Amino acid sequence: MPEIRVTPLGAGQDVGRSCILVSIAGKNVMLDCGMHMGFSDDRRFPDFSYITRSGRLTDFLDCVIISHFHLDHCGALPYFSEMVGYDGPIYMTQPTQAICPILLEDYRKIAVDKKVVEITKHTRDNTALRYLELLPLSWTTQEPQSTSNAFTPPLAHWLVFPCIVIPSACGTPGTSPPMPVDDELEIKAYYAGHVLGAAMFQIKVGAESVVYTGDYNMTPDRHLGAAWIDKCRPNLLITESTYATTIRDSKRCRERDFLKKVHETVERGGKVLIPVFALGRAQELCILLETFWERMDLKAPIYFSTGLTEKANHYYKLFIPWTNQKIRKTFVQRNMFEFKHIKAFDRAFADSPGPMVVFATPGMLHAGQSLQIFRKWAGNEKNMVIMPGYCVQGTVGHKILSGQRKLEMEGRQVLEVKMQVEYMSFSAHADAKGIMQLVGQAEPENVLLVHGEAKKMEFLKQKIEQEFRVSCYMPANGETVTLPTSPSIPVGISLGLLKREMAQGLLPDAKKARLLHGTLIMKDSNFRLVSSEQALKELGLAEHQLRFTCRVHLHDTRKEQETAVRVYSHLKSVLKDHCVQHLPDGSVTVESILIQAAAHSEDPGTKVLLVSWTYQDEELGSYLTSLLKKGLPQAS
Ligand SMILES: [Zn+2]
């Protein structure tokens, strides 16, 4: 029985370290290779031992697919390739391929800073020390240089693999052409919105297919279009479910609310911190604030903390076909990513008096500059921090959003949060309505939820099962879901056969299944159903007829010829609607059924009737046999 098996190694009933193992028709594909931002121990990476214990990794996996550049989807790649030892193909879109190494390098810098701090703290703890050393070493064997300008990717061997380009045909990016991984496995990308270069992937082997959404957004935003998929009817749709229970209010309201909060804080002399990831929401909110500052003629400075802005703009320019239509149009006159009011941030500015707005990375306040600024500003109630996206458990962002106001920082220092904490969902994930919409569009046979919280998944699972009448699964990490599949094989029907059906008054009806007799032939891996005559002709075969013969013993002392006459007259009188004939050779026929009388080899008082027919006349043949078995009427 063919089947599809799915095992999340990460993101099973959780958000973070996305990594899903899929087996489809004997092919093994790993979807995403993310890290968990909320942990610094071995829960940071997916549990790859699940694959490695079955032998060599590269032999086992046919390919790895990365949905987009967010670190919870690609952050474990260096570890996976450098330490675990995978060196097979890795597929991703062109923007992801370009941006991913930059974010990884940026993260490495943060991670190395962190290592120095924690080593002095745990010098006596050997295990912790060993582990922490492992992380930066997995990225590069060189000692990190804080002023390194030239970025040399330590991961050259996975960067050379082919990438998928989503063409911007007709002005809207849609899908990539199917790309063969090998003779049987084929992948295809769909535009996912979410962040620059994000894609959903269809994995196909023969007639079986799985669609993995990665992260997606069903509504367009200020810089990207909406996710889209065709009615591809996969056996399984694996969808993220970050906002499984949220139905977001209109985007316009959220934007107005955001601008009002920033404006009020700046007016009363406060500072606004907006933790963001370098690419994505950052660009969207920058466009929003830039336009507002211009319109209101505001003077308070806006800074973008990271040196990545320029790099980011570079990529937006490079991959302009991936953005939305408005940006592509405006781009001809003006680059929407060149800002008049938003300036580069310098560390020293954080201590300057007076109002300001700062975009700082990373987005969940778990490390780096956003966390440094947060610590400086947290004590002043005039200030505000606006979290524009989802924060995973374990991060400072998650803690303050769940109401904690006394945070224990390293060295047992307690940070009291007096600044205002606001949450505005500018996250680029589909909400419950969007997820339902995607399921409706793709029409999958089964749905599997990942990248969400168990409780919320449970709710969405019921909703999907009720509305679409399909099975919905939500496995935990390490838990395997097995789906039996019944592959459908398309068969062409010959015109001759259809005409014959129609001659009987049976018009083809897509809604009503019915039985059709014919001969199935396979030519060049295609199946066709044709009439047997046509099959013989096409295949150059001679016709063979199979006849069934049955013996009936009759008590009759007369000669065989006379017995035959008696059989003829009996059948003639019983079967009034049939053509009964007595042939010159002495045999009797009823339609195509042949009856011959013969002498019995041992008993002269018994005659043997041989009744023979073809399979087409099975019914009549059997009937005649049983009729003759009852005997002939007495001759008068
Ligand atoms: Zn994402």
Side-chain angles (χ1 to χ4, degrees):
M1 188 72 170
E3 56 183 30
I4 292 174
R5 279 198 317 277
V6 183
T7 315
L9 304 184
Q13 300 181 5
D14 189 17
V15 177
R17 58 165 182 176
S18 281
C19 186
I20 300 124
L21 207 58
V22 173
S23 291
I24 167 169
K27 297 282 170 185
N28 297 308
V29 177
M30 195 170 95
L31 303 167
D32 280 335
C33 187
M35 62 158 50
H36 202 301
M37 310 298 239
F39 297 118
S40 51
D41 54 20
D42 57 5
R43 284 171 296 176
R44 172 183 297 261
F45 294 135
D47 181 10
F48 297 119
S49 68
Y50 191 90
I51 324 175
T52 43
R53 65 173 176 238
S54 65
R56 224 177 84 78
L57 197 63
T58 311
D59 297 336
F60 176 78
L61 286 178
D62 291 283
C63 74
V64 172
I65 294 173
I66 301 295
S67 63
H68 64 290
F69 63 63
H70 277 154
L71 293 183
D72 59 332
H73 294 259
C74 71
L77 264 185
Y79 174 75
F80 189 59
S81 64
E82 304 306 298
M83 302 299 286
V84 189
Y86 176 75
D87 60 358
I90 300 173
Y91 290 85
M92 58 187 87
T93 66
Q94 213 181 11
T96 308
Q97 192 195 34
I99 298 164
C100 194
I102 296 173
L103 294 191
L104 287 170
E105 170 63 6
D106 190 52
Y107 180 79
R108 185 183 66 86
K109 283 186 197 149
I110 299 172
V112 170
D113 288 342
K114 201 170 168 190
K115 176 186 106 175
V116 177
V117 176
E118 298 203 353
I119 280 177
T120 34
K121 203 172 120 197
H122 294 296
T123 27
R124 279 183 214 138
D125 187 344
N126 271 339
T127 14
L129 183 63
R130 204 175 304 140
Y131 177 79
L132 286 169
E133 272 185 346
L134 195 70
L135 184 73
L137 281 176
S138 69
W139 304 71
T140 171
T141 44
Q142 289 166 5
E143 262 309 292
Q145 295 159 8
S146 54
T147 51
S148 127
N149 303 325
F151 170 70
T152 41
L155 312 156
H157 68 264
W158 59 263
L159 286 169
V160 301
F161 284 97
C163 55
I164 288 171
V165 183
I166 297 202
S168 57
C170 319
T172 32
T175 62
S176 75
M179 173 177 273
V181 174
D182 56 34
D183 290 347
E184 294 157 275
L185 177 64
E186 184 182 282
I187 56 179
K188 182 177 169 182
Y190 291 93
Y191 190 76
H194 189 59
V195 288
L196 195 69
M200 307 188 275
F201 284 88
Q202 183 191 44
I203 308 136
K204 209 169 167 190
V205 184
E208 287 177 36
S209 69
V210 171
V211 168
Y212 171 58
T213 64
D215 293 349
Y216 63 102
N217 194 0
M218 292 300 279
T219 45
D221 59 28
R222 272 172 193 269
H223 75 303
L224 296 174
W228 177 85
I229 198 159
D230 55 1
K231 227 174 255 319
C232 55
R233 298 196 176 98
N235 297 91
L236 176 67
L237 172 75
I238 304 176
T239 174
E240 66 133 321
S241 50
T242 325
Y243 290 100
T245 54
T246 315
I247 294 195
R248 277 193 296 257
D249 50 3
S250 91
K251 186 133 195 149
R252 206 167 271 274
C253 288
R254 249 177 298 147
E255 288 181 351
R256 215 179 299 137
D257 209 21
F258 168 78
L259 292 171
K260 195 171 153 230
K261 290 209 161 102
V262 174
H263 192 194
E264 278 170 5
T265 310
V266 174
E267 285 289 281
R268 64 165 181 261
K271 295 174 165 63
V272 182
L273 170 66
I274 309 169
V276 287
F277 286 101
L279 287 115
R281 235 36 38 205
Q283 277 69 29
E284 191 181 5
L285 296 178
C286 279
I287 294 174
L288 193 63
L289 275 192
E290 169 88 6
T291 334
F292 186 71
W293 247 239
E294 184 76 31
R295 197 173 69 225
M296 304 291 286
D297 196 22
L298 298 179
K299 295 286 177 272
I302 310 175
Y303 298 114
F304 203 112
S305 82
T306 166
L308 284 177
T309 354
E310 259 152 48
K311 273 185 196 155
N313 287 344
H314 168 72
Y315 285 110
Y316 277 96
K317 273 186 226 167
L318 201 61
F319 298 115
I320 206 85
W322 286 76
T323 58
N324 69 22
Q325 217 165 2
K326 193 180 167 206
I327 295 222
R328 290 202 299 274
K329 267 192 195 154
T330 327
F331 191 71
V332 185
Q333 310 131 24
R334 177 173 84 81
N335 177 6
M336 293 276 275
F337 299 103
E338 257 156 33
F339 303 111
K340 192 172 132 198
H341 297 272
I342 303 170
K343 302 273 178 323
F345 182 75
D346 185 283
R347 225 170 253 252
F349 294 172
D351 300 314
S352 324
M356 68 176 83
V357 180
V358 175
F359 287 96
T361 57
M364 300 184 194
L365 284 181
H366 53 280
Q369 202 149 38
S370 63
L371 187 59
Q372 283 168 20
I373 300 172
F374 173 77
R375 291 171 73 160
K376 277 195 179 158
W377 295 358
N380 189 337
E381 61 273 10
K382 266 209 279 186
N383 298 338
M384 178 182 284
V385 59
I386 302 180
M387 307 299 297
Y390 187 88
C391 291
V392 301
Q393 214 152 8
T395 58
V396 171
H398 187 269
K399 283 177 192 159
I400 56 169
L401 282 181
S402 41
Q404 276 193 50
R405 290 296 175 262
K406 285 197 171 121
L407 306 172
E408 197 181 323
M409 310 307 272
E410 64 249 21
R412 299 194 167 257
Q413 203 187 329
V414 174
L415 179 70
E416 200 172 336
V417 182
K418 289 187 182 151
M419 78 195 297
Q420 295 176 55
V421 178
E422 292 289 341
Y423 173 66
M424 311 229 117
S425 171
F426 277 100
S427 169
H429 292 272
D431 63 359
K433 221 167 96 190
I435 298 170
M436 296 300 276
Q437 199 184 331
L438 188 90
V439 176
Q441 267 182 24
E443 287 192 4
E445 282 171 22
N446 299 280
V447 177
L448 190 142
L449 304 178
V450 293
H451 200 285
E453 291 160 26
K455 253 197 204 152
K456 296 181 179 174
M457 277 183 177
E458 193 65 60
F459 172 83
L460 185 67
K461 175 178 139 72
Q462 282 179 10
K463 218 171 137 172
I464 288 174
E465 287 181 330
Q466 270 169 17
E467 194 155 318
F468 298 105
R469 310 214 165 273
V470 297
S471 301
C472 186
Y473 305 87
M474 39 174 283
N477 288 333
E479 195 184 317
T480 303
V481 169
T482 307
L483 299 169
T485 56
S486 42
S488 62
I489 300 166
V491 173
I493 298 174
S494 77
L495 206 59
L497 214 56
L498 281 177
K499 277 185 181 161
R500 200 160 77 189
E501 284 281 301
M502 283 169 73
Q504 294 173 8
L506 298 166
L507 291 172
D509 182 352
K511 283 179 192 153
K512 266 191 207 153
R514 70 163 186 262
L515 214 57
L516 188 71
H517 288 278
T519 306
L520 190 67
I521 56 174
M522 193 181 93
K523 236 181 187 176
D524 308 324
S525 309
N526 289 319
F527 286 101
R528 274 189 319 129
L529 196 67
V530 299
S531 65
S532 48
E533 301 83 46
Q534 198 180 336
L536 287 173
K537 215 168 117 190
E538 284 191 27
L539 302 172
L541 296 173
E543 190 179 2
H544 289 264
Q545 275 214 347
L546 196 65
R547 291 189 78 89
F548 301 93
T549 302
C550 200
R551 286 160 173 268
V552 178
H553 291 174
L554 268 188
H555 180 72
D556 194 347
T557 50
R558 280 163 277 202
K559 287 193 167 156
E560 298 99 82
Q561 291 90 327
E562 287 170 52
T563 310
V565 173
R566 287 182 69 204
V567 168
Y568 168 70
S569 35
H570 176 51
L571 293 182
K572 186 90 181 156
S573 67
V574 178
L575 305 166
K576 294 224 161 55
D577 298 336
H578 292 271
C579 171
V580 185
Q581 285 181 293
H582 192 190
L583 301 183
D585 68 352
S587 54
V588 177
T589 60
V590 181
E591 312 286 354
S592 69
I593 293 151
L594 185 73
I595 305 162
Q596 287 166 306
H600 195 281
S601 55
E602 284 157 23
D603 181 5
T606 299
K607 296 290 167 295
V608 182
L609 293 180
L610 300 166
V611 188
S612 90
W613 63 89
T614 63
Y615 76 94
Q616 290 99 329
D617 293 313
E618 166 68 23
E619 222 169 293
L620 187 59
S622 313
Y623 170 69
L624 284 182
T625 312
S626 56
L627 192 70
L628 291 169
K629 273 184 181 164
K630 287 181 191 153
L632 300 175
Q634 288 304 311
S636 50

